[in-house]
Structures are given as structure tokens and as C-alpha cells.
Amino acid sequence: MTIFNYQNKEPICLCIPRVDKSISKIEIKKVLDELCLGHIERIDLVNNKTQKDESKKAFVHFKNWFWTNRTEKIYNNLITKNCIKVIYNAPLFWKISLSKSEKNQQYKNRD
């Protein structure tokens, strides 16, 4: 069962607006898997045009979201506070929000 974003009825996609160029998709997946939020379908890394450095922006697409008391609180924080902070290499952290971008057209018609 796919759990949808309440606002636009699309599957949940998180955005990490600034990821250092040295961080890989595998490292992002490892950190997020440790949070047990849900099954990750894929991670897209794109060049970050809003930053002057060579950082990337990550979009984490979930196949499904685990509904537990903890993950529901996380989801509600994403909606009400717009972001959560996730430590990936203390003291370094990512600010993660729900993605506001539309899914790529090639993925809209997959299923």
C-alpha cells in the first residue's frame, strides 16, 4: 500500500535542499533507513542551482511510509513546521522537508 501526501495525493517525496557533493545516494539511503520512515523507492540527486558551491539537492521518493506513532509525529512536523533536522555525521545535519516539486513526467505514468 502506498501512503500518499495529504496535500496533493502524490506518494511521499522528501527534499534535502543541500547535500554535499561528496555524499552518495547510498549514504543518504543508509541514514534514512536507520530512521525507519518507510521503503525508499529511489533517490534523485540534482545539481543545486541556488547554491554557489557544488552541492546537490536530493529527492527521496518513498514506495510506502510506515505509520507508527513516531513516524506520524515526523510527518506532522513536516507539514506544520515545514522541516525536520536529521543528523547524518555529528554535528552535521540535513534540513529535510516534503518536496514541493512535481514528480518527473516519466515517473507519473509508471504504474
Side-chain angles (χ1 to χ4, degrees), residues 1 5-6 15 23 30 34 43 48-49 56 58 63 75 78 87-88 93-94 96-97 105:
M1 175 170 79
N5 178 330
Y6 292 147
C15 175
I23 302 291
K30 181 178 181 262
E34 289 175 3
I43 297 173
N48 203 338
K49 297 176 183 176
K56 304 245 182 216
K63 183 174 183 177
Y75 185 78
L78 288 166
I87 297 171
Y88 65 92
F93 63 91
W94 294 315
I96 300 178
S97 62
Q105 188 63 35

Side-chain angles (χ1 to χ4, degrees), residues 3-10 12 67 72 75-76 79:
I3 302 301
F4 294 98
N5 178 330
Y6 292 147
Q7 292 148 341
N8 62 14
K9 305 298 185 213
E10 291 288 329
I12 292 174
W67 278 127
E72 188 171 356
Y75 185 78
N76 287 334
I79 292 172

